[in-house]
Amino acid sequence: MKALVYRGPGRKEWIDRPKPELREPGDAIVRVTSTTICGTDLHILKGDVPAVENGRILGHEGVGIVESTGNGVSRFKPGDRVLISCITSCGRCPYCRKQLYAHCQDGGWILGHRIDGTQAEFVRIPHADNSLYAVPAGADEAALVMLSDILPTGFEIGVLSGQVRPGDTVAIVGAGPVGMATLLTAKFYSPARIVMVDMDPARLQLARSLGATDTIDAGNENVVDKLMEMTAGVGVDVAIEAVGIPATFDMCQKSIAPGGHIANVGVHGKSVELHLEELWIRNITLTTGLVNTNTTSMLLQSMQAGTINPSQLITHHFDLDDILEAYDVFTNASREKAMKVILKAP
């Protein structure tokens, strides 16, 4: 089969690899029909995730068709169309019992990280009963791929951890795919204002079309000053960091209101400076996290009901064989006006 293989920082190859085989009773082999590229994949290629070994097949998102299952799989059978969760969960360990699936003792974020992932023609999914979701009849497959990772990430680690409430002023720093997913799901809670911050005018325009009430061009405006001006000097109720660099984290901590919530969603490859000497007295809540995907079923129902439309985040479509071109487009998102790319297998 063909697969996108990591060869160390800055290097990747689209090459032939052996088709995966069942290893454990709970495994399923899935033929990938649609997948995508994540910002985390770019972090891996930068060398920010040293646990990823040379030779690893990247990717942790996708939709496919079950090809075979181990004798311990009861919820799925060959021929079933399934959504692949970016998080693998055994459903039995102490963390899974707390719905902290990201920290499953025999799973978590392992696809494209510690085991081979979904940017391939076939993928092995451990603990398939708890790590796959049945695709509803007639569902938009490309839109479903957004539910593998970015929608639950934005919702759980941004909106829920940030405790967005009706009437809040919410600042989302970073208008990439996860930031946009946070925007879509923040609307569930009717905040008064959603302010999107980015340096890309095209992304800010898209954010407006998706429901942002305000935008700030970080390349031309002082973000902290602008947010304080918008809030009469008080600061925002919720600041969601969706980039993963020190400068954007600093924007959040400098613009948060007393009693506010800073929800860090971005993947950080470098340390940041936490100004605890200023924040300790202001009753600030700071959260971080890796998505647990415990909301995927709810988001799937919301998509089917038309409450959210994840297909709005898709800007480019490619054949799976053109994955290297897709990486070039996604890596140069500003130049290409790219948000999410979909890779479709024949």
Side-chain angles (χ1 to χ4, degrees), residues 230-245:
M230 288 179 174
T231 57
V234 175
V236 300
D237 300 297
V238 184
I240 298 171
E241 200 287 331
V243 180
I245 60 174

Side-chain angles (χ1 to χ4, degrees), residues 137-220:
D140 181 343
E141 181 169 303
L144 277 173
V145 176
M146 305 300 103
L147 271 67
S148 285
D149 183 355
I150 64 166
L151 258 294
T153 294
F155 184 48
E156 294 172 24
I157 310 304
V159 177
L160 295 183
S161 292
Q163 296 187 30
V164 174
R165 297 173 298 182
D168 276 353
T169 295
V170 179
I172 303 171
V173 182
V178 171
M180 294 296 194
T182 305
L183 166 61
L184 288 178
T185 54
K187 294 191 294 181
F188 289 162
Y189 294 92
S190 302
R193 298 177 83 171
I194 304 176
V195 186
M196 184 64 79
V197 179
D198 203 273
M199 298 179 69
D200 186 335
R203 289 190 166 191
L204 294 177
Q205 183 178 357
L206 177 59
R208 285 270 191 181
S209 72
L210 295 179
T213 58
D214 305 89
T215 58
I216 299 175
D217 184 340
N220 294 306

Side-chain angles (χ1 to χ4, degrees), residues 251-292:
M251 291 174 190
C252 292
Q253 63 179 331
K254 287 182 176 177
S255 60
I256 195 70
H261 295 259
I262 301 172
N264 185 90
V265 186
V267 178
H268 288 264
K270 297 180 180 178
S271 63
V272 303
E273 186 175 358
L274 176 66
H275 288 290
L276 202 55
E277 78 282 3
E278 297 176 7
L279 297 177
W280 75 269
I281 201 171
R282 302 178 66 195
N283 298 78
I284 302 300
T285 300
L286 169 63
T287 57
T288 68
L290 178 63
V291 64
N292 288 300

Side-chain angles (χ1 to χ4, degrees), residues 10-46:
R11 298 175 58 216
K12 59 188 180 296
E13 293 181 314
W14 179 242
I15 59 173
D16 286 311
R17 286 287 296 270
K19 182 180 171 182
E21 298 179 350
L22 298 170
R23 296 185 185 179
E24 302 292 339
D27 288 353
I29 303 300
V30 176
R31 177 169 63 84
V32 177
T33 54
S34 293
T35 186
T36 186
I37 303 168
C38 181
T40 305
D41 297 320
L42 301 187
H43 278 283
I44 291 170
L45 285 166
K46 289 178 183 176

Side-chain angles (χ1 to χ4, degrees), residues 24-28 68-77 125 127-129:
E24 302 292 339
D27 288 353
S68 60
T69 60
N71 58 21
V73 177
S74 60
R75 294 183 57 211
F76 301 100
K77 65 184 184 303
I125 304 297
H127 306 297
D129 276 343

